[in-house]
Amino acid sequence: MDWFAEIENAIAKITNAYAKFMDVFAEIENAIAKITNAYAKSINVFAEIENAIAKITNAYVKSINVFADIENAIAKITNAYAKFMDEFAEIENAIAPKWLVSTSLNQPHALS
């Protein structure tokens, strides 16, 4: 009967070893799951970074467009001012002969 006890002990050792193997395998599976989850989180973080960069880029493009709008508005104001000055010069030229004062000392003042 000693041989039967030895077989039982051997089976018990094999069963215990198998249980330990399954525990180790479960730890490996858990570690793989953690790595997978961390990878998924890193992909999400990378996507968030990409989205933030896209938002910054879009804001920069909008700011350039706003700056271009400001430049265009300034150009329109400058052009309008130039037209005003041209028209004002025409008015001055039209009025000038009527009130132009002679520079000669011998001539009376034109408005006198």
Side-chain angles (χ1 to χ4, degrees), residues 36 52 92 101 103 109-110:
T36 303
E92 283 182 326
V101 177
T103 56
H109 195 281

Side-chain angles (χ1 to χ4, degrees), residues 73-92:
I74 291 170
K76 287 179 182 178
I77 291 168
T78 304
N79 291 339
Y81 179 74
K83 287 179 184 176
F84 166 77
M85 291 306 291
D86 289 344
E87 290 177 11
F88 189 75
E90 287 179 24
I91 293 169
E92 283 182 326

Side-chain angles (χ1 to χ4, degrees), residues 1-47:
M1 290 283 225
D2 285 339
W3 60 269
F4 187 74
E6 287 180 25
I7 292 173
E8 283 182 329
N9 286 338
I11 291 172
K13 287 180 182 178
I14 292 170
T15 303
N16 289 339
Y18 180 75
K20 288 179 183 177
F21 169 77
M22 289 307 290
D23 289 344
V24 169
F25 189 74
E27 288 179 24
I28 292 170
E29 284 181 323
N30 288 338
I32 290 171
K34 288 179 181 178
I35 291 169
T36 303
N37 290 338
Y39 178 72
K41 287 179 183 178
S42 71
I43 288 176
N44 289 339
V45 168
F46 187 72

